[in-house]
Amino acid sequence: MANSRFEYVKAFEQADYLLPNTWIVVRIDGRGFTKLCTKYGFEKPNDRRALDLMNAAAKAVMTELPDITIGYGVSDEFSFVFHKTCTLFERRSSKLVSTIVSTFTAYYVHLWSTYFTDMPLSPPFPSFDGRAVCYPSVQNLRDYMSWRQVDCHINNLYNTTFWSLVQLGGMSGTEAEKFLAGTVSADKNEILFSRFHINYNNEPEIYKKGSVVIRDYELVDPGTHNAAEVADDIAEPVKQSKTQEENDRKRRAKARVMVEHLDIIKDDFWDRRPWLLSNKPGKVPKQT
Amino acid sequence: MANSRFEYVKAFEQADYLLPNTWIVVRIDGRGFTKLCTKYGFEKPNDRRALDLMNAAAKAVMTELPDITIGYGVSDEFSFVFHKTCTLFERRSSKLVSTIVSTFTAYYVHLWSTYFTDMPLSPPFPSFDGRAVCYPSVQNLRDYMSWRQVDCHINNLYNTTFWSLVQLGGMSGTEAEKFLAGTVSADKNEILFSRFHINYNNEPEIYKKGSVVIRDYELVDPGTHNAAEVADDIAEPVKQSKTQEENDRKRRAKARVMVEHLDIIKDDFWDRRPWLLSNKPGKVPKQT
Amino acid sequence: MANSRFEYVKAFEQADYLLPNTWIVVRIDGRGFTKLCTKYGFEKPNDRRALDLMNAAAKAVMTELPDITIGYGVSDEFSFVFHKTCTLFERRSSKLVSTIVSTFTAYYVHLWSTYFTDMPLSPPFPSFDGRAVCYPSVQNLRDYMSWRQVDCHINNLYNTTFWSLVQLGGMSGTEAEKFLAGTVSADKNEILFSRFHINYNNEPEIYKKGSVVIRDYELVDPGTHNAAEVADDIAEPVKQSKTQEENDRKRRAKARVMVEHLDIIKDDFWDRRPWLLSNKPGKVPKQT
Amino acid sequence: MANSRFEYVKAFEQADYLLPNTWIVVRIDGRGFTKLCTKYGFEKPNDRRALDLMNAAAKAVMTELPDITIGYGVSDEFSFVFHKTCTLFERRSSKLVSTIVSTFTAYYVHLWSTYFTDMPLSPPFPSFDGRAVCYPSVQNLRDYMSWRQVDCHINNLYNTTFWSLVQLGGMSGTEAEKFLAGTVSADKNEILFSRFHINYNNEPEIYKKGSVVIRDYELVDPGTHNAAEVADDIAEPVKQSKTQEENDRKRRAKARVMVEHLDIIKDDFWDRRPWLLSNKPGKVPKQT
């Protein structure tokens, strides 16, 4: 359509293309969720409904954006990983971040009443912020994922102990905090066990490990591939035939997006799921 | 809490602070709204419910983020302006964009059923993407706003004529498109009037002008201030006393956020609302 | 010419266009000049030959790059200002910085023997690093320039006093440093005067004020223009006629680039030289 | 020292840290070298003195900046590679680019008279611009290097043929250009041989291959290491002991920087020089 003399202002938009051939992680965080927890009476140390809602929103994000290869969530945060060959939105940071944040929020708000059946949302509504970070190598990416899972473990052990002291042990928050100051993991395990007969190992996996969101393909035998090395060797997006692309698309669309609570630090997780690093969809398991 | 050997990955996050002393415009756009329009049967050329929903979401964004001085929306897009002295989120681009996009989406999805009473949302849900752009001077900012409003006018005149030809004139879309190729504004006005007895000037202001979202302060006499010049002269965020800041905050919170359909290209709009450029809250009108 | 399969690597280069309509300051700094001073026996607190060499190199830079409107140098640093409408190298940061640094270095090294007649350069040779910073308003730009000149004054007063204590007062460096710890300007002026009969006001202007490099146009009466306001009102590069551009180019080329030692903090400097902010070349004075 | 109210301007400088764990290539290019060639009568298609001068400047750069692992030059351009673990100047782009450009220029200008003994420089002096680009993987880096060397080959074959047609075949430039339009490599080889009895393979290696600048360590047997894979596996800068660092530094300083004209596209070059990718200095050969 016609131009106007004001169009020069378009030139002020600055490029934010993320470096090619790097893994893109978009991490989103709940805004002001401490207040939200109080307002809706989230259970402590973990509210199962809130986590299930996070996971449901994450599954929806990954279903709508098949370019995402894996998601990992804990508490009120979720990380989504785009394969290093991804060219979605020309790798523009703002587009990637805002699209994920918006889609996640849409589902979170819409699905709220499914998980919090008796607590209708009232303003201010839950919202999330986000950012994109590039990781050049598979090792960097895995270290990022490990960082989040270690954080999950550290926080959950602390919170489990803290709230046991408060809820079961009758301490005030301040007392519990002081009591735990300077303790290491072994101390907290011991406190839980000796005081409250809680074996931390028996806590639900979703609390201890966080939530991994992946597409459901058949696991392979470890040792049958070297997806990490292959991934690091990729230098640029592979030009596939239209047919091949179409096939990949269909397989990805067919694959169920599922939530699991697994160790993503050890090699085994990645060895059995080569598609996470290779970006080639695996074999869709037969429906039973 | 404890550190892990994986924390080095934090260093890969890159700074995205926007240049100080510039006006920040965050513009968000509906993703795939052409499909959405079809899916939910939006009326053409304008769906009043859809626009009202956009405006309601924008009002909520501005209520939750008092740092925003003005919003302007048309069709499925909305622009939000932060004053050039704004230091919210240390002016980090990702934080500003993702927070606005997320808050807007939360309200849009939650309020959907208020405006589309008989059409429940089904996946994929509406979502928005966003970006931040910096404008150094008041003139640049006003030219940006004018650019959007001129765009609104051009598109609305075209769409009004196009859909008249289709809905009232019995043309196919292709025929109408061909028919309008090469026409200028005067031609379209003439077509509307001579063929369909539509006087474009009498079309609703919301369609012709788009929607301005501002805080409701008392208008001032033009000529009593020079807010634009004062704004350009500001070199850095003013350090206010705590009391003054608190007062400003209260006045902003008291002011009703309202939607209007006004010419924002001419000086008059800005001259009568010095707070838009000065960032000093105006006088809250007495409630009637 | 022919392409190769390696050309994809070009896509990794990231855009670094500086925000339009902002003043660009490129500041360069001598690398490791403390060592250089010792190696070539620079006089303390100021070596006139070294400053003259800096100024000669800066004059050459401004002669080769007529887009630069003003330069300001002190010690081993120099700042060069591009007008906010400048579009040289499409405002790419790397190009602007590297071109200035390289041109400056070329002249500095080549002219060395003119100023240090008896001290031939030996490796490692003098070199400079640089960076570009954007300033949105005239006030920001002037504050930047003032910042550098205040720094010049503060450092020179300190150094003059310090070296007087050492060279004339027989103190060691450590003693002088301790002696000056906690003193304010008035103290240093007093020390200089009472101990060494030095009136700081009578020190050479080049040491007290640093060096301003500008094109030589006829000064105007203060109050006959409002170049600062006009500059802030500019929204985008003005499209001039080819003839006008050619005229401007010729006038700039004709104007002698000269070095002065003036107060650039006060209004008077800018009021009498409207071309610095307006970017319209002034009247070239008649040669005498 | 004392602060001033102008210091706020420091906050306008924006961070330009390059992404960690990526190879940094700084490429510099001669500015306006076409004019320079004419002014100083550079021989065509290649001026040996000019290339030797470029190489001498590059050697000096690599001697002064031991963090550079390899340089590659052709015509009036030179690329310098920093290892992906490099933390020099905190990986700030401007610092890296400006330092290299400045050091290169200093030596180029100072050494000019050594290579052009009878042609003193006159203003405007030669200068260079530069930029930094990040490459995430060894393959990307090698593809970048290959891209430059293929370019060298393509340009040199063209120029050799073009100038033979002009200098030996009596064609005008325009005639030669037309004559070569649409020819492929084989055609040019054939023209050179059949018309001028020039076997392109016998042309000097420096013209056909460009110039590689590396530190002189003992070559290793290919197959005794997998430096590329090891390099891709590195996730972050290795923390070495002070002793180890000191040892590395000494070995690098001892190693002669030398210029060679080798094929850097094939594996052999990299296989025999593991230090280029591993960043561990090799064995310094015994002086003979």
Side-chain angles (χ1 to χ4, degrees):
Chain A
M1 303 222 174
N3 287 338
S4 78
R5 69 185 169 90
F6 304 118
E7 297 222 9
Y8 80 89
V9 298
K10 284 202 280 187
F12 288 67
E13 192 166 335
Q14 299 202 282
D16 65 346
Y17 304 104
L18 297 171
L19 189 68
N21 204 31
T22 56
W23 301 87
I24 301 170
V25 175
V26 174
R27 185 176 71 248
I28 71 174
D29 285 280
R31 297 186 57 238
F33 263 48
T34 308
K35 266 194 189 171
L36 196 89
C37 291
T38 310
K39 177 176 172 186
Y40 296 103
F42 282 17
E43 286 164 23
K44 290 295 180 183
N46 292 292
D47 188 298
R48 182 62 196 246
R49 300 160 301 176
L51 292 179
D52 286 345
L53 173 53
M54 289 290 290
N55 291 344
K59 274 177 70 172
V61 166
M62 285 189 56
T63 304
E64 290 206 8
L65 293 163
D67 287 84
I68 300 173
T69 61
I70 182 171
Y72 176 74
V74 45
S75 181
D76 64 345
E77 77 166 51
F78 236 100
S79 300
F80 297 97
V81 179
F82 292 97
H83 195 265
K84 66 179 200 159
T85 59
C86 175
T87 56
L88 184 66
F89 305 142
E90 301 168 275
R91 301 175 71 88
R92 275 179 290 162
S93 180
S94 307
K95 285 279 265 183
L96 291 165
V97 171
S98 59
T99 297
I100 284 186
V101 158
S102 181
T103 307
F104 192 94
T105 306
Y107 282 91
Y108 191 94
V109 167
H110 196 268
L111 297 175
W112 173 273
S113 60
T114 310
Y115 293 89
F116 291 93
T117 44
D118 50 346
M119 275 186 286
L121 276 179
S122 64
F125 293 157
S127 62
F128 298 84
D129 58 33
R131 66 213 49 76
V133 188
C134 291
Y135 290 106
S137 75
V138 166
Q139 193 57 55
N140 291 143
L141 173 68
R142 284 194 48 190
D143 286 349
Y144 172 84
M145 301 300 274
S146 299
W147 174 48
R148 299 323 303 140
Q149 193 164 50
V150 166
D151 230 47
C152 167
H153 167 72
I154 292 171
N155 290 331
N156 190 58
L157 178 55
Y158 181 91
N159 291 338
T160 304
T161 318
F162 175 91
W163 286 104
S164 297
L165 290 168
V166 170
Q167 293 166 346
L168 308 175
M171 286 191 189
S172 73
T174 321
E175 287 166 344
E177 207 184 320
K178 258 190 201 159
F179 187 79
L180 289 175
T183 57
V184 297
S185 293
D187 301 331
K188 298 192 191 77
N189 274 299
E190 178 58 25
I191 292 166
L192 281 173
F193 194 71
S194 61
R195 295 208 169 202
F196 310 111
H197 307 292
I198 294 172
N199 184 339
Y200 183 73
N201 288 332
N202 297 340
E203 288 292 293
E205 293 296 297
I206 186 173
Y207 303 153
K208 290 185 303 181
K209 297 263 187 359
S211 298
V212 186
V213 190
I214 47 178
R215 284 169 228 288
D216 185 19
Y217 301 118
E218 282 185 12
L219 300 183
V220 311
D221 284 342
T224 56
H225 68 93
N226 51 355
E229 200 182 311
V230 168
D232 275 342
D233 285 350
I234 298 172
E236 58 177 325
V238 184
K239 270 121 209 154
Q240 290 190 310
S241 70
K242 283 278 158 203
T243 323
Q244 187 57 42
E245 255 179 29
E246 190 57 18
N247 281 348
D248 279 11
R249 219 183 48 75
K250 275 185 196 158
R251 266 161 105 181
R252 262 190 209 101
K254 243 191 231 170
R256 207 165 44 97
V257 174
M258 60 182 193
V259 178
E260 298 195 286
H261 316 291
L262 301 166
D263 183 318
I264 58 173
I265 300 176
K266 299 213 189 81
D267 292 341
D268 189 64
F269 173 79
W270 303 90
D271 283 346
R272 299 179 69 88
R273 294 166 184 83
W275 61 84
L276 295 173
L277 299 178
S278 72
N279 211 28
K280 306 215 172 309
K283 207 171 157 186
V284 177
K286 292 196 191 87
Q287 306 293 342
T288 51
Chain B
M1 304 224 172
N3 287 339
S4 78
R5 67 181 170 92
F6 303 118
E7 296 223 10
Y8 80 89
V9 299
K10 284 203 278 188
F12 288 68
E13 194 166 334
Q14 301 203 280
D16 64 345
Y17 305 104
L18 297 172
L19 189 68
N21 204 31
T22 56
W23 301 87
I24 301 171
V25 175
V26 175
R27 185 176 71 249
I28 71 173
D29 286 280
R31 296 186 59 240
F33 263 49
T34 309
K35 264 193 190 170
L36 196 88
C37 292
T38 310
K39 179 177 171 185
Y40 296 102
F42 281 19
E43 285 164 25
K44 290 296 180 179
N46 292 291
D47 189 298
R48 184 60 196 248
R49 301 160 300 175
L51 292 179
D52 286 345
L53 174 53
M54 289 289 292
N55 291 344
K59 275 178 70 171
V61 166
M62 285 189 56
T63 305
E64 291 206 7
L65 294 163
D67 288 86
I68 300 173
T69 60
I70 181 170
Y72 176 73
V74 44
S75 181
D76 64 343
E77 76 166 51
F78 236 100
S79 299
F80 297 98
V81 179
F82 292 98
H83 195 265
K84 66 179 200 157
T85 59
C86 174
T87 55
L88 183 65
F89 305 143
E90 301 167 275
R91 300 173 71 87
R92 275 180 289 161
S93 181
S94 306
K95 284 280 264 184
L96 291 165
V97 171
S98 59
T99 296
I100 284 188
V101 158
S102 181
T103 307
F104 193 94
T105 305
Y107 283 91
Y108 190 94
V109 166
H110 196 266
L111 296 174
W112 174 274
S113 60
T114 310
Y115 293 88
F116 292 93
T117 45
D118 50 347
M119 275 186 286
L121 275 180
S122 65
F125 292 157
S127 63
F128 297 83
D129 57 35
R131 67 212 48 76
V133 187
C134 291
Y135 290 106
S137 74
V138 167
Q139 193 57 57
N140 290 143
L141 174 67
R142 283 194 48 190
D143 286 348
Y144 172 84
M145 301 301 272
S146 299
W147 174 49
R148 299 323 301 140
Q149 193 166 49
V150 167
D151 229 46
C152 168
H153 166 71
I154 292 171
N155 290 330
N156 190 57
L157 176 55
Y158 182 92
N159 291 338
T160 304
T161 319
F162 176 91
W163 286 103
S164 298
L165 290 169
V166 169
Q167 292 167 347
L168 308 175
M171 285 192 190
S172 73
T174 320
E175 286 166 345
E177 207 185 320
K178 257 190 202 161
F179 186 80
L180 289 175
T183 57
V184 296
S185 293
D187 302 329
K188 297 193 192 73
N189 274 300
E190 177 59 25
I191 292 166
L192 282 173
F193 194 72
S194 60
R195 294 210 168 200
F196 310 112
H197 308 292
I198 295 172
N199 185 337
Y200 183 73
N201 288 333
N202 297 339
E203 290 292 293
E205 293 296 297
I206 185 175
Y207 302 153
K208 289 186 303 182
K209 297 263 187 359
S211 299
V212 187
V213 190
I214 47 179
R215 284 170 228 290
D216 185 19
Y217 301 118
E218 281 185 13
L219 299 184
V220 310
D221 282 342
T224 56
H225 69 93
N226 51 355
E229 201 183 310
V230 169
D232 275 341
D233 285 350
I234 298 171
E236 58 176 325
V238 185
K239 271 122 210 155
Q240 291 190 309
S241 70
K242 283 280 160 202
T243 322
Q244 187 57 41
E245 254 179 31
E246 190 57 20
N247 280 349
D248 280 9
R249 219 183 48 74
K250 274 186 196 155
R251 265 161 105 183
R252 263 189 210 102
K254 241 192 233 171
R256 204 165 45 96
V257 174
M258 63 182 189
V259 178
E260 297 196 287
H261 317 290
L262 301 166
D263 183 319
I264 58 173
I265 300 176
K266 297 212 190 81
D267 290 342
D268 189 65
F269 173 80
W270 304 89
D271 282 347
R272 298 179 71 86
R273 296 167 182 83
W275 61 84
L276 296 173
L277 299 179
S278 72
N279 211 29
K280 306 217 173 306
K283 206 171 159 185
V284 178
K286 290 192 193 94
Q287 305 295 343
T288 51
Chain C
M1 303 221 174
N3 287 339
S4 79
R5 68 184 170 91
F6 303 117
E7 297 223 9
Y8 80 89
V9 298
K10 284 202 279 187
F12 288 67
E13 193 165 335
Q14 301 203 281
D16 64 346
Y17 305 103
L18 297 171
L19 189 68
N21 204 30
T22 57
W23 302 86
I24 301 171
V25 175
V26 175
R27 184 176 71 250
I28 71 173
D29 286 280
R31 296 185 58 238
F33 263 49
T34 309
K35 264 192 191 172
L36 196 89
C37 292
T38 310
K39 179 176 170 186
Y40 297 102
F42 281 18
E43 286 164 23
K44 290 295 181 181
N46 292 292
D47 188 298
R48 183 62 196 248
R49 298 160 304 174
L51 292 179
D52 287 345
L53 173 53
M54 289 291 289
N55 291 343
K59 275 178 68 171
V61 165
M62 285 190 55
T63 305
E64 291 205 8
L65 294 164
D67 288 85
I68 301 172
T69 59
I70 182 172
Y72 176 74
V74 45
S75 182
D76 64 344
E77 77 166 50
F78 236 99
S79 300
F80 297 97
V81 179
F82 292 97
H83 194 265
K84 66 178 199 158
T85 59
C86 174
T87 56
L88 183 66
F89 305 143
E90 302 166 273
R91 300 174 71 89
R92 276 179 289 162
S93 180
S94 307
K95 284 279 265 185
L96 292 164
V97 171
S98 58
T99 296
I100 285 187
V101 158
S102 181
T103 307
F104 193 94
T105 306
Y107 283 91
Y108 191 93
V109 166
H110 196 267
L111 297 175
W112 174 274
S113 60
T114 310
Y115 294 88
F116 292 93
T117 45
D118 50 347
M119 275 187 286
L121 276 179
S122 64
F125 292 157
S127 62
F128 298 83
D129 57 34
R131 66 210 52 71
V133 187
C134 291
Y135 290 105
S137 75
V138 167
Q139 194 57 56
N140 291 142
L141 173 68
R142 283 194 48 190
D143 287 348
Y144 172 84
M145 301 300 273
S146 299
W147 175 48
R148 298 324 302 141
Q149 193 165 51
V150 167
D151 230 46
C152 168
H153 166 71
I154 292 171
N155 290 330
N156 190 57
L157 177 56
Y158 181 91
N159 291 337
T160 304
T161 318
F162 175 92
W163 286 104
S164 297
L165 290 168
V166 170
Q167 293 166 347
L168 309 174
M171 284 192 189
S172 72
T174 320
E175 287 166 345
E177 208 185 318
K178 258 191 201 161
F179 187 80
L180 289 175
T183 57
V184 297
S185 293
D187 301 331
K188 297 192 192 77
N189 274 299
E190 178 59 23
I191 292 166
L192 282 173
F193 194 72
S194 61
R195 294 209 169 200
F196 310 111
H197 308 294
I198 294 173
N199 185 338
Y200 183 73
N201 288 332
N202 298 338
E203 288 293 291
E205 293 296 297
I206 185 174
Y207 302 154
K208 289 186 303 184
K209 297 264 189 353
S211 299
V212 186
V213 189
I214 47 178
R215 284 169 229 288
D216 184 19
Y217 302 118
E218 282 186 10
L219 300 183
V220 310
D221 283 343
T224 55
H225 68 94
N226 52 355
E229 201 183 310
V230 169
D232 275 342
D233 284 351
I234 297 172
E236 58 177 326
V238 185
K239 270 121 209 155
Q240 291 190 309
S241 70
K242 283 279 159 202
T243 322
Q244 188 58 42
E245 253 179 32
E246 189 59 17
N247 281 348
D248 280 10
R249 218 183 48 74
K250 274 186 196 156
R251 265 160 106 183
R252 260 188 212 105
K254 243 192 230 169
R256 206 165 45 96
V257 174
M258 61 183 192
V259 179
E260 298 195 287
H261 315 291
L262 303 165
D263 184 317
I264 58 173
I265 300 176
K266 298 212 190 81
D267 291 341
D268 189 64
F269 173 80
W270 303 90
D271 282 346
R272 299 180 69 87
R273 294 168 184 83
W275 61 84
L276 294 173
L277 299 178
S278 71
N279 211 28
K280 305 214 175 308
K283 207 170 159 187
V284 178
K286 290 193 193 92
Q287 306 295 340
T288 52
Chain D
M1 303 223 174
N3 286 339
S4 78
R5 68 180 170 93
F6 303 118
E7 296 223 12
Y8 80 88
V9 298
K10 283 203 279 186
F12 287 67
E13 193 166 335
Q14 301 202 281
D16 65 345
Y17 304 103
L18 297 172
L19 189 68
N21 204 30
T22 56
W23 302 86
I24 301 171
V25 175
V26 175
R27 185 176 71 249
I28 70 172
D29 286 280
R31 295 187 58 240
F33 263 48
T34 309
K35 264 193 190 170
L36 196 89
C37 291
T38 309
K39 179 176 171 186
Y40 296 103
F42 281 18
E43 286 164 24
K44 290 294 181 180
N46 292 292
D47 189 299
R48 183 61 196 247
R49 299 160 303 175
L51 292 179
D52 286 346
L53 173 53
M54 289 290 291
N55 291 343
K59 276 178 67 172
V61 165
M62 286 189 56
T63 304
E64 290 205 8
L65 294 162
D67 288 84
I68 301 173
T69 61
I70 181 171
Y72 176 73
V74 44
S75 182
D76 63 344
E77 75 165 52
F78 235 100
S79 299
F80 296 97
V81 179
F82 292 97
H83 195 266
K84 65 179 201 159
T85 59
C86 175
T87 55
L88 184 65
F89 304 144
E90 300 167 275
R91 300 175 71 88
R92 276 179 290 162
S93 181
S94 306
K95 284 279 265 185
L96 291 166
V97 170
S98 59
T99 297
I100 284 187
V101 158
S102 181
T103 307
F104 193 94
T105 306
Y107 283 91
Y108 190 94
V109 167
H110 196 265
L111 296 174
W112 173 274
S113 59
T114 310
Y115 292 89
F116 291 92
T117 45
D118 50 347
M119 275 187 288
L121 276 180
S122 64
F125 292 158
S127 63
F128 298 83
D129 58 34
R131 67 213 47 74
V133 187
C134 291
Y135 290 106
S137 74
V138 167
Q139 193 57 55
N140 291 143
L141 173 68
R142 283 194 48 189
D143 287 347
Y144 172 83
M145 301 299 272
S146 299
W147 175 48
R148 299 323 302 140
Q149 192 165 51
V150 166
D151 230 46
C152 168
H153 166 71
I154 291 170
N155 289 330
N156 190 56
L157 177 56
Y158 182 90
N159 291 337
T160 305
T161 317
F162 176 91
W163 287 103
S164 297
L165 290 168
V166 170
Q167 292 166 345
L168 308 175
M171 285 191 189
S172 73
T174 320
E175 286 166 345
E177 208 184 319
K178 258 190 200 161
F179 186 80
L180 288 175
T183 57
V184 296
S185 292
D187 301 331
K188 297 193 193 76
N189 274 298
E190 178 59 25
I191 292 166
L192 282 173
F193 194 70
S194 60
R195 294 209 167 200
F196 310 112
H197 308 294
I198 294 172
N199 185 336
Y200 183 75
N201 288 332
N202 297 339
E203 290 292 292
E205 292 296 296
I206 185 175
Y207 302 154
K208 289 185 303 182
K209 298 264 189 356
S211 298
V212 186
V213 190
I214 47 179
R215 283 170 229 290
D216 185 18
Y217 300 118
E218 280 186 13
L219 300 183
V220 310
D221 283 341
T224 55
H225 68 94
N226 50 357
E229 201 182 310
V230 168
D232 276 341
D233 285 350
I234 298 171
E236 59 177 325
V238 185
K239 272 122 208 154
Q240 290 190 309
S241 70
K242 283 280 160 201
T243 322
Q244 187 57 41
E245 253 180 30
E246 190 58 18
N247 281 349
D248 280 9
R249 219 184 47 74
K250 274 187 195 156
R251 265 161 106 183
R252 260 188 212 106
K254 241 193 231 168
R256 205 165 46 96
V257 175
M258 63 182 189
V259 179
E260 297 195 287
H261 316 291
L262 300 167
D263 183 318
I264 58 174
I265 301 176
K266 298 212 190 81
D267 291 342
D268 190 64
F269 173 80
W270 304 90
D271 283 346
R272 299 179 69 88
R273 294 167 183 83
W275 60 85
L276 295 173
L277 300 179
S278 71
N279 211 28
K280 306 216 172 307
K283 206 170 158 187
V284 178
K286 292 192 192 92
Q287 306 293 342
T288 51

